[in-house]
Amino acid sequence: MSRIRSPFRFLPVAVLGFPLITTILSCRKDKPEQPVETPVTIGNEHGVYITNEGNFQWGNASVSWYNKADGQAVEDLYAPANGSALGDVLQSMTLHGGKGYLVVNNSGKVVVVDQDSFRATATIAGFTSPRYLLPVGGNKAYVSEMQGNKLRVLDLAANAIVGTITCRGWTEEMALAAGKVFITNETRKYVYVVDPATDAVADSIAVSSGGNSIVEDANGKLWVACKGGGGTPPALCRIDPATLQKEATFNFAGSSANPWRLAVNGDGHMLYFLNGDVFRMAIADDALPNSPFIAAEGRNFYGLGVDPGDGTVYVADAIDYTQRGRVFRYSAEGVSINDFPAGRIPGGFVFR
Amino acid sequence: MRSCLWGPVFVLLAGPNGYGQQLPDTIKLHDVVITAPQRADFASGVKVQVIDSTALARFRFADLGNLLEQESPLFIKNYGPGSLATSSFRGGSANHTAVLWNGFNIGSPMNGQVDLSLVPVGIADNVIIQYGGGSALWGSGAVGGSILLNNKPVFNGGLTVEGGASCGSFGDQRQRVGISISKPTWIGSVDVFNTSSRNDFEHVNTEEHGSPKLRQQHAELAQQGLLAENYFRINARQRINARFWYQRNDRNIPPTLMEQSSTASQQDESCRATTEWQRTGDRVNSYVRAAWFDERLNWHGTGTDSAAFSRAKTLIAEAEVRIKLNNDRQRINIGLNNTYAQAISDGYPDEPRQNRTALFASCQFADRKRRSTTTVSLRQEVVGGDPAPFTWSLGSEYQLAHWLQAMANIARIYRLPTFNDLYWTPGGNRDLLPEIGYSGEAGLAAKGEASAHVSITAGGTVFQRTMDNWIIWLPSGAYWSPENIMNVWSRGVEMRGEIAWHAGTTTVKLGAWTNYVVSTNQRAKAANDASVGKQLIYVPMYSGHGKLSVAHGPLHVSVGANYTGYRYTSTDNRSFLDPYLLADAAVSYRIAAGKKCSASLLAQAFNLLNADYQVMLNRPMPMRSFQVGVNVRFHQPNAIKNIQP
């Protein structure tokens, strides 16, 4: 034993000292940088709000802001202005009467903010899983719901739910045209038509299943993007809101296509949508575009917006959904301009 | 394989339990003690931690997640009391910890995980944590480490009747009753347990204006279960056993801090039956064993139309032979395992089935002076006709001095894609490859007497692991789909030390451990991915534990503290959860009433400092809470005439 022990008599020092020292030297700092959170007042600036969904159940929804004049991006307007988190899954934002209506899906609420200071002025609660808000005249607005087979009727003066409209399935984006409200449906193959005078479903127009976005073109016609499913193909459909008839259908080849985030430019002549890449289609075209307008090239395109003023195209990259996303700006001709960081899972663009 | 961390292949701490322990299964045969090595012994050079009996007694009413949170360096992703709890072992995912009940992997074939909140501590007589890559011994999933839950019968122990109950904060009530009859040739035991809790704890909602104090809603829990064991000694050399574990669990799933309310609930029901025949020879031990697991899960979401049912059945058959040669200086273990699994789920259009067959072998050598032990293990698994990665491990332990042991191990590790990864509709990807990698560690463990009254143990382990083809779900068209995308490099240092002072019936122990774990994604998942080189989410880089305990005769008092450092909640490491320090205290007192009866009283307090903390984002955790319990035991030895010659 003694023969073994003597060469190792310095071992206690080595055992205790060396790893300690190497550990200390090799250790990484784990404390993250705390972001500086100063409230930003937008004032009369022109730019775009970016709604960041955040992760389901993580409560990290936020709203980013991009100032068009100076190119400055603000990662979050809400938390610095209010000192609290916005909520869980920000599905959409609607500007109306100087206010922003933030529809927070999994928190079951609509948060009303001043569009300049971004301070919350009211919270409308009582929803199941709200998706989109559409003002339909006067102080009235409709809110679509993912669950519960109904639309909510809001009084925007009282900031309260004042009624419900039974409408089957998962109601999604809505548009007001020819005095009627047209409601896309993610789980049923119809666009439902609601008369805002009676707050009741007046008609339904067969399209494809998976209807998710709807825009009005220069001719006053409505375009609907449908993901397909349930035996119906992915498609773009054109509806005449006056006759309540589907006028044209552009089916995608193969069921793996996923057209969504349909947008239209300011003059209403050009449609844009996501299907992995960004695609562009003139409203007069008689076929779907074959090649991408902006190729994703490894990016995870999750949101799309077109500036109604100058036609600049904004594309949001959600990357891996668990880090802050990025927004890429392209000219109306598809030439890359710049990019900037946004919040977690950027999905929607609201221009002002 | 990175080499930079292998330079300082020095350790500190492996600690009181840090030796590569032999886990003898001792049986008495004609007054000759025959030590049957277990398969876990065929892992030289890895850190092994045996949870001590004091801790097991303290957590006898709790679940495995609670126990490991307090008593091990594993990070437990705990969604709240009674809610889902999964583990991160040395920076791995929840799929990278193998949980074995008497040698059978109880991970769900559907998601490859074990919800540790559904495993009561009382289901096992001992809990052993085997660190590091164990794929060559235990197969798929033994990546970060393995948790071994074993039942240890003692023949001719007599009659034991035991009953216990506890009650605690938030309407928490737990009861256990067990009876065990242990004859020279037969043991029969039954334990039943019942748990119910309202879990309506108060917490601070920091996400709301003014940080109001709220009461947790919709988190009620009810659990009932039964464990029955039978052991027969057929003759001096042969034994056979059968075990049966039934459990049902009904819990409500509380809302997150950002949800208005929740109506979601989950019901789990499982039946697990195992049997084993073994023959103990002078040189050759043989084992044949089988297990049947049937697990059901019923989930009801908050929405009106969201509900899911799934059921998985697993049949495992295994044969093993252990041979001792050369005066037990060489040991050989050869085994064959066949695992058949099938599942029904709303997510699977067909009823997926999978058959896996694995051949494994280990060879262990000790030198003539038995100063060193070296083990080589190999395993080849075939999954539905296709070979899984060939895995191996090589490890060694060397006694440098009577007080100092050095150890090192290197292993090939893998994890098979789960049923969800392969078959979920839509998205399941049948072309997925297994995750595969290397893991290695080296450590030193010291143990000595500083004086007649003071003993010291200390140790340290450096580890590292690379895992390639790491499976993650990413969007692909209209739905998400799993892909072999990530490459993760994990490395770290674990240190452990304890100083004990004993005099008479008094023992004072002061112990501590620290963990440093860096686990980073090494490959971009997409363009613009800022996660490369960044710590994985929910892997604390730093954590530590300290404990002071005093035992004086029948009285045992301990205070402990657990520190958990920053955990990132974004892959670019910009979002995070704050560190927390949880202090706890426990007092127990044992009363003997005559020779046959004894009782122990237990009182404990958790989160003594009233920390407002989150383990998982937006999942509230209780403030200070208390539990008191009592356990009564009646024990009558067998009459003398029953004892074997």
Side-chain angles (χ1 to χ4, degrees):
Chain A
M1 227 24 157
S2 60
R3 266 182 53 218
I4 301 165
R5 199 186 260 181
S6 59
F8 294 108
R9 65 183 183 278
F10 296 114
L11 258 174
V13 180
V15 168
L16 295 167
F18 192 62
L20 257 183
I21 290 162
T22 48
T23 305
I24 290 162
L25 291 181
S26 64
C27 276
R28 284 188 172 207
K29 201 180 106 180
D30 69 333
K31 187 173 179 169
E33 281 175 31
Q34 312 263 352
V36 185
E37 294 197 333
T38 28
V40 174
T41 299
I42 294 163
N44 295 319
E45 299 292 344
H46 290 280
V48 56
Y49 301 98
I50 300 114
T51 57
N52 305 300
E53 278 183 22
N55 301 94
F56 177 69
Q57 296 195 319
W58 290 23
N60 52 7
S62 62
V63 180
S64 304
W65 165 254
Y66 180 77
N67 185 326
K68 283 202 293 191
D70 62 11
Q72 292 295 306
V74 178
E75 212 172 300
D76 186 20
L77 291 172
Y78 188 90
N82 296 283
S84 62
L86 172 57
D88 203 33
V89 186
L90 174 60
Q91 183 60 37
S92 66
M93 170 176 171
T94 304
L95 283 183
H96 179 70
K99 295 215 171 349
Y101 292 85
L102 305 170
V103 184
V104 193
N105 173 258
N106 199 41
S107 294
K109 66 181 180 183
V110 172
V111 177
V112 189
V113 296
D114 178 87
Q115 68 172 20
D116 295 331
S117 70
F118 237 71
R119 279 202 199 95
T121 57
T123 297
I124 311 171
F127 299 92
T128 309
S129 49
R131 304 287 290 178
Y132 292 88
L133 181 146
L134 179 75
V136 295
N139 284 324
K140 188 151 84 175
Y142 289 167
V143 174
S144 56
E145 287 254 25
M146 192 164 92
Q147 289 167 336
N149 298 310
K150 56 184 170 276
L151 297 162
R152 306 285 190 166
V153 184
L154 301 193
D155 179 341
L156 299 181
N159 286 321
I161 299 175
V162 293
T164 58
I165 301 168
T166 302
C167 188
R168 295 181 67 184
W170 164 353
T171 52
E172 192 73 348
E173 262 191 47
M174 301 171 285
L176 182 63
K180 299 273 195 303
V181 180
F182 294 80
I183 296 143
T184 59
N185 200 303
E186 279 271 8
T187 47
R188 301 182 63 79
K189 58 179 183 183
Y190 298 100
V191 167
Y192 289 97
V193 185
V194 171
D195 183 347
T198 59
D199 289 339
V201 175
D203 207 342
S204 61
I205 303 161
V207 284
S208 261
S209 195
N212 56 72
S213 43
I214 184 165
V215 295
E216 186 178 356
D217 71 10
N219 303 325
K221 303 294 171 70
L222 293 173
W223 291 78
V224 182
C226 303
K227 292 178 181 176
T232 62
L236 284 189
C237 299
R238 192 174 72 226
I239 290 169
D240 183 338
T243 62
L244 306 181
Q245 296 299 313
K246 182 171 72 173
E247 289 187 336
T249 303
F250 298 89
N251 287 338
F252 288 78
S255 61
S256 65
N258 181 32
W260 65 314
R261 302 289 196 206
L262 184 62
V264 66
N265 69 349
D267 66 18
H269 284 285
M270 197 64 81
L271 301 171
Y272 298 80
F273 61 90
L274 291 183
N275 181 18
D277 307 298
V278 179
F279 288 84
R280 183 171 79 154
M281 177 182 173
I283 59 167
D285 284 355
D286 50 14
L288 292 169
N290 284 320
S291 53
F293 176 60
I294 300 163
E297 289 167 339
R299 289 172 292 184
N300 177 16
F301 285 166
Y302 196 77
L304 176 66
V306 182
D307 189 326
D310 59 15
T312 305
V313 179
Y314 290 72
V315 197
D317 178 2
I319 310 179
D320 63 356
Y321 298 95
T322 22
Q323 58 185 292
R324 65 174 173 172
R326 229 172 160 79
V327 172
F328 294 83
R329 296 174 78 232
Y330 292 87
S331 72
E333 290 72 43
V335 178
S336 170
I337 304 170
N338 65 341
D339 59 272
F340 58 90
R344 190 79 61 95
I345 316 182
F349 295 93
V350 179
F351 296 90
R352 62 164 276 182
Chain B
M1 190 85 189
R2 306 285 175 137
S3 59
C4 57
L5 254 167
W6 287 118
V9 166
F10 280 79
V11 204
L12 246 104
L13 219 47
N17 305 315
Y19 294 84
Q21 268 133 335
Q22 302 288 301
L23 312 164
D25 179 5
T26 308
I27 56 171
K28 235 179 173 187
L29 265 185
H30 305 289
D31 291 325
V32 179
V33 174
I34 294 181
T35 305
Q38 300 206 296
R39 200 194 310 168
D41 295 334
F42 288 88
S44 296
V46 295
K47 183 172 155 186
V48 174
Q49 180 186 354
V50 181
I51 305 285
D52 69 48
S53 57
T54 321
L56 289 181
R58 183 181 164 195
F59 289 96
R60 80 170 92 234
F61 298 110
D63 63 59
L64 191 59
N66 302 137
L67 174 79
L68 296 174
E69 230 165 25
Q70 289 278 335
E71 298 292 329
S72 84
L74 272 73
F75 177 62
I76 305 298
K77 292 181 255 183
N78 179 349
Y79 285 72
S83 294
L84 175 71
T86 59
S87 62
S88 170
F89 204 146
R90 286 184 170 173
S93 75
N95 290 316
H96 292 155
T97 308
V99 182
L100 298 125
W101 182 53
N102 294 305
F104 296 104
N105 193 323
I106 58 170
S108 157
M110 298 180 63
N111 64 14
Q113 306 177 2
V114 174
D115 180 348
L116 300 172
S117 74
L118 297 181
V119 182
V121 171
I123 216 70
D125 297 324
N126 58 40
V127 178
I128 296 156
I129 304 171
Q130 202 169 56
Y131 290 68
S135 290
L137 287 186
W138 309 115
S140 167
V143 169
S146 312
I147 298 167
L148 314 179
L149 309 170
N150 293 324
N151 297 91
K152 288 286 156 199
V154 178
F155 280 97
N156 203 15
L159 170 72
T160 308
V161 183
E162 199 163 356
S166 77
C167 64
S169 307
F170 332 125
D172 187 90
Q173 299 195 338
R174 291 158 197 251
Q175 302 90 34
R176 286 191 78 86
V177 181
I179 180 165
S180 165
I181 300 165
S182 172
K183 299 287 187 188
T185 58
W186 172 70
I187 305 170
S189 75
V190 180
D191 283 274
V192 292
F193 48 93
N194 177 56
T195 294
S196 66
S197 181
R198 288 198 308 273
N199 279 328
D200 55 346
F201 55 88
E202 274 200 336
H203 61 90
V204 175
N205 190 343
T206 48
E207 305 296 343
E208 270 189 37
H209 279 288
S211 297
K213 258 198 176 181
L214 299 177
R215 197 167 276 284
Q216 178 72 309
Q217 337 150 18
H218 199 68
E220 296 83 355
L221 164 77
Q223 182 184 82
Q224 292 87 33
L226 173 143
L227 174 67
E229 300 167 80
N230 278 289
Y231 302 84
F232 301 94
R233 183 181 280 171
I234 299 167
N235 57 35
R237 297 202 177 274
Q238 292 185 60
R239 286 206 235 163
I240 191 163
N241 71 45
R243 300 184 181 98
F244 178 73
W245 168 17
Y246 168 81
Q247 187 172 305
R248 67 177 184 193
N249 200 80
D250 187 354
R251 59 186 164 188
N252 287 333
I253 299 172
T256 65
L257 291 179
M258 288 293 192
E259 289 168 323
Q260 310 258 319
S261 63
S262 167
T263 55
S265 66
Q266 181 177 328
Q267 292 82 39
D268 293 86
E269 188 172 13
S270 63
C271 279
R272 294 184 176 96
T274 71
T275 183
E276 180 184 55
W277 168 87
Q278 69 179 72
R279 185 185 183 282
T280 310
D282 294 332
R283 290 198 162 181
V284 179
N285 294 349
S286 312
Y287 305 82
V288 177
R289 52 181 88 92
W292 169 250
F293 301 154
D294 184 350
E295 297 154 90
R296 287 174 234 222
L297 192 157
N298 237 317
W299 182 84
H300 300 275
T302 293
T304 43
D305 47 2
S306 50
F309 172 76
S310 64
R311 182 174 185 182
K313 298 176 197 172
T314 310
L315 176 64
I316 305 171
E318 195 169 75
E320 213 172 346
V321 176
R322 285 184 205 131
I323 305 160
K324 291 183 277 190
L325 298 168
N326 211 350
N327 197 20
D328 204 15
R329 282 207 294 116
Q330 271 107 53
R331 291 170 172 180
I332 294 168
N333 186 62
I334 300 169
L336 183 69
N337 175 297
N338 193 83
T339 300
Y340 171 83
Q342 68 177 67
I344 305 167
S345 161
D346 300 335
Y348 307 143
D350 39 9
E351 217 172 281
R353 290 145 200 263
Q354 186 184 64
N355 197 68
R356 293 150 41 189
T357 308
L359 181 65
F360 53 95
S362 298
C363 190
Q364 189 167 70
F365 316 85
D367 69 306
R368 203 171 287 274
K369 292 181 175 173
R370 295 180 195 261
R371 203 179 289 142
S372 71
T373 307
T374 300
T375 309
V376 182
S377 296
L378 314 167
R379 184 181 183 107
Q380 176 65 59
E381 184 162 10
V382 176
V383 183
D386 299 319
F390 172 69
T391 49
W392 48 264
S393 79
L394 170 65
S396 197
E397 289 159 16
Y398 187 78
Q399 203 71 36
L400 294 168
H402 73 280
W403 57 275
L404 187 65
Q405 190 186 39
M407 54 195 123
N409 178 283
I410 181 163
R412 187 99 163 118
I413 47 179
Y414 74 111
R415 175 177 88 83
L416 294 170
T418 64
F419 276 22
N420 285 355
D421 294 333
L422 295 168
Y423 306 116
W424 190 263
T425 304
N429 179 356
R430 296 181 189 214
D431 299 324
L432 280 176
L433 300 169
E435 296 178 0
I436 180 126
Y438 292 96
S439 100
E441 67 181 272
L444 284 181
K447 189 176 193 176
E449 310 285 324
S451 77
H453 295 294
V454 178
S455 60
I456 297 171
T457 54
T461 305
V462 202
F463 70 90
Q464 82 159 341
R465 182 177 72 238
T466 55
M467 201 68 177
D468 204 3
N469 288 339
W470 183 301
I471 297 166
I472 52 165
W473 285 67
L474 286 173
S476 110
Y479 45 79
W480 292 50
S481 189
E483 287 176 66
N484 292 106
I485 296 274
M486 281 184 9
N487 177 294
V488 175
W489 177 30
S490 311
R491 61 277 193 199
V493 184
E494 294 158 354
M495 308 228 266
R496 186 175 183 121
E498 188 182 68
I499 181 160
W501 177 84
H502 7 219
T505 60
T506 305
T507 304
V508 180
K509 283 184 189 171
L510 180 65
W513 71 62
T514 62
N515 296 295
Y516 170 58
V517 180
V518 181
S519 195
T520 53
N521 175 31
Q522 300 298 107
R523 186 184 296 144
K525 302 183 283 287
N528 307 305
D529 186 0
S531 75
V532 178
K534 300 284 183 13
Q535 181 88 346
L536 299 191
I537 63 169
Y538 289 118
V539 176
M541 213 178 276
Y542 294 95
S543 59
H545 173 94
K547 187 156 138 185
L548 174 69
S549 67
V550 180
H552 178 70
L555 179 69
H556 191 275
V557 180
S558 68
V559 285
N562 271 299
Y563 171 82
T564 304
Y566 289 98
R567 285 131 299 132
Y568 301 107
T569 55
S570 68
T571 53
D572 58 4
N573 289 183
R574 289 172 52 86
S575 314
F576 54 89
L577 285 169
D578 283 323
Y580 54 85
L581 181 72
L582 298 179
D584 62 279
V587 182
S588 67
Y589 190 78
R590 194 169 176 279
I591 307 161
K595 283 185 178 169
K596 292 180 179 172
C597 291
S598 65
S600 33
L601 306 173
L602 170 73
Q604 48 187 340
F606 299 99
N607 194 3
L608 274 174
L609 303 175
N610 232 5
D612 169 30
Y613 71 106
Q614 289 177 14
V615 180
M616 305 301 288
L617 191 58
N618 282 319
R619 306 284 176 168
M621 296 300 286
M623 311 288 273
R624 190 180 297 126
S625 67
F626 304 93
Q627 187 192 40
V628 291
V630 60
N631 199 63
V632 181
R633 188 168 189 266
F634 170 83
H635 177 73
Q636 171 151 28
N638 290 330
I640 297 288
K641 64 180 162 75
N642 284 344
I643 293 180
Q644 277 212 324

